[in-house]
Amino acid sequence: MGGSVGAPLRPAALKLNQSRYISSWLTGWFPKTPAKSVVAQKTPIKVELVAGKTYRWCVCGRSKKQEAPEQEVPRQEASTPALPLTSKSRQASVSMIQSLLEQLPPFCDGSHFFQRTGLSPLKFKAQETRAVALCTCKATQKAPYCDGTHRSERVQKAEVGSPL
């Protein structure tokens, strides 16, 4: 029965095939050699960091949230007209959505994962509330903070969206 069509695979052969499949799948999603960061912008973004809050700075340069970072999700009563809430459940839904939006990382949108770059965002915690300039050229030596490298000829000649 060994080699006939439709014959069941032996457990050892099945395990080997599964192992190869999983390995190739993982390699596709998590490459051994990470992609290079790309220039997101040629100027830093100025943001107000809040003491004690954790942020995720985009390392790969592919995140769209670098263009207009969302530091805090505005509270409904402060920035948008009040929704006509007719029930407690609807009000609870709005509160839940707002709290979920507040948990989103402000500078990384997950592009590194979906574009399979092999890079991960830099997670950091603000030590004090202050305005800072965050690097978007991805060439800084003081990540996530801008060190002025964007002014270099190498960065200024590079195209936005291309690696340095």
Side-chain angles (χ1 to χ4, degrees), residues 72-93:
E72 294 287 331
V73 175
R75 298 265 180 231
Q76 179 181 341
E77 63 272 7
S79 63
T80 58
L83 295 173
L85 299 175
T86 57
S87 70
K88 288 184 181 180
S89 64
R90 190 168 182 185
Q91 189 172 11
S93 295

Side-chain angles (χ1 to χ4, degrees), residues 9-26:
L9 290 173
R10 287 184 248 145
L14 183 61
K15 194 172 194 175
L16 180 61
N17 285 342
Q18 286 176 340
S19 176
R20 285 182 186 157
Y21 172 77
I22 291 171
S23 177
S24 65
W25 180 85
L26 286 172

Side-chain angles (χ1 to χ4, degrees), residues 20 27 62 95 128 133 146 149-150 164:
R20 285 182 186 157
T27 302
R62 293 162 177 84
S95 296
E128 59 184 331
C146 174
T149 306
H150 64 276
L164 288 177

Side-chain angles (χ1 to χ4, degrees), residues 31 33-37 60 62 115-119:
T33 306
K36 288 188 174 188
S37 298
C60 72
R62 293 162 177 84
Q115 294 183 25
R116 302 177 183 176
T117 65
L119 299 169

Side-chain angles (χ1 to χ4, degrees), residues 25 28-30 60 108-119 121:
W25 180 85
W29 277 97
F30 304 101
C60 72
C108 176
D109 65 5
S111 295
H112 63 281
F113 182 73
F114 295 107
Q115 294 183 25
R116 302 177 183 176
T117 65
L119 299 169

Side-chain angles (χ1 to χ4, degrees), residues 121-144:
L122 174 69
K123 187 175 175 181
F124 69 99
K125 191 173 201 173
Q127 300 301 313
E128 59 184 331
T129 299
R130 65 184 176 125
V132 298
L134 296 179
C135 175
T136 60
C137 74
K138 308 304 173 191
T140 183
Q141 298 298 308
K142 298 180 180 180

